[in-house]
Amino acid sequence: MTSNALKVIALILMLIDHVGAIFFPSLRILRVIGRLAFPIFIFLLNEGFFYTRSRRDYLLRLILFAFISEIPYDLAFYNRFPYNGKCNVFFTLALGMIVMICADRLYEIYPSAISDLLRALPFILAILCCFGIADMLHTDYGSAGVLAIGTGYMLKRLNMHRCIVFFGIVAALVLCGKPLEAAAFAALPLILLYNGKRGVNNFAIKMFFFSFYPLHLLLLFFISRYK
């Protein structure tokens, strides 16, 4: 399947997870099913990082939708805005993207960065700051999510098979104290079916995938409020 097909599956899994969290918090199976979504999104973010025509534009879109999504995120999960206790997952993805950009720069200047630490230091500090910011802002998945993105990048950079990349992403989340994420290992067959192709690629498709997150949260909020 193409990355677009994989994204649609991940969106459906995410929707199931959020319906469970908002309407049926005691129905644990919905949350377990939803655990498959985030590692798939990380996997696709890693793929996008290596194949996008503009990493800068990709990062800017993530940041833009992070701020756009914060209102429906707070309303859907906490029934008020602003809520300073947590930030939505787009912030985690954006921080992870910055980590990959910095790590890629370190890869490009290696091995001279070993002998000239000053060249590498800014990128190392930026990476560490991303982990700190994720926990400081209490982004969804926090520094564990950022680490999982970085793990996927590293394995992808080492030309590991896509299943190993996905396995590493899930393992990083589990080892960071999120044992329920182990359910995402069940998504490995989907990764095997992935053909490495994007599928239809135009502005409308991109906006659909980015806007689904804030729009579905807004819809769930209105349903929960006026049901």
Side-chain angles (χ1 to χ4, degrees):
M1 65 178 74
T2 65
S3 66
N4 283 348
L6 203 51
K7 284 177 186 175
V8 170
I9 292 173
L11 290 179
I12 294 171
L13 293 168
M14 179 182 68
L15 178 60
I16 292 171
D17 181 43
H18 292 166
V19 168
I22 295 171
F23 298 104
F24 309 103
S26 61
L27 201 56
R28 190 173 177 83
I29 185 61
L30 298 180
R31 306 307 312 279
V32 172
I33 293 171
R35 296 308 89 205
L36 278 66
F38 186 56
I40 294 175
F41 283 126
I42 292 179
F43 175 81
L44 293 172
L45 181 69
N46 288 143
E47 289 286 298
F49 177 82
F50 283 97
Y51 298 118
T52 185
R53 285 178 291 185
S54 174
R55 292 172 180 174
R56 183 198 65 181
D57 289 349
Y58 200 158
L59 175 60
L60 289 176
R61 282 196 297 271
L62 290 171
I63 294 173
L64 174 63
F65 277 90
F67 284 101
I68 290 174
S69 301
E70 193 58 23
I71 296 176
Y73 176 81
D74 288 352
L75 291 175
F77 290 112
Y78 307 106
N79 204 34
R80 61 191 174 96
F81 177 82
Y83 176 77
N84 298 322
K86 286 202 72 174
C87 290
N88 70 80
V89 75
F90 264 117
F91 284 102
T92 309
L93 297 176
L95 290 167
M97 186 72 170
I98 295 172
V99 165
M100 289 193 290
I101 291 171
C102 292
D104 210 57
R105 182 60 181 145
L106 287 172
Y107 178 84
E108 289 173 0
I109 63 178
Y110 176 84
S112 62
I114 302 300
S115 57
D116 186 2
L117 186 59
L118 288 177
R119 293 187 66 193
L121 192 58
F123 302 106
I124 294 172
L125 291 176
I127 290 172
L128 294 175
C129 282
C130 286
F131 284 95
I133 291 171
D135 282 340
M136 181 179 69
L137 295 179
H138 302 288
T139 67
D140 208 359
Y141 288 92
S143 58
V146 177
L147 177 64
I149 295 170
T151 300
Y153 164 84
M154 179 185 68
L155 294 172
K156 178 77 174 176
R157 173 58 75 187
L158 292 173
N159 294 317
M160 295 289 105
H161 187 273
R162 61 175 67 102
C163 285
I164 297 177
V165 173
F166 185 78
F167 187 95
I169 290 168
V170 179
L173 290 171
V174 173
L175 292 173
C176 284
K178 300 186 179 295
L180 196 58
E181 298 302 319
F185 286 124
L188 278 169
L190 297 175
I191 304 303
L192 276 172
L193 293 174
Y194 171 57
N195 61 16
K197 297 179 180 179
R198 179 181 294 179
V200 178
N201 179 34
N202 55 48
F203 181 78
I205 292 292
K206 288 179 181 178
M207 288 302 101
F208 167 76
F209 286 127
F210 274 90
S211 61
F212 183 89
Y213 183 77
L215 289 178
H216 93 279
L217 288 178
L218 195 60
L219 178 61
L220 292 179
F221 165 70
F222 282 121
I223 293 174
S224 66
R225 189 178 180 102
Y226 300 110
K227 65 179 179 178

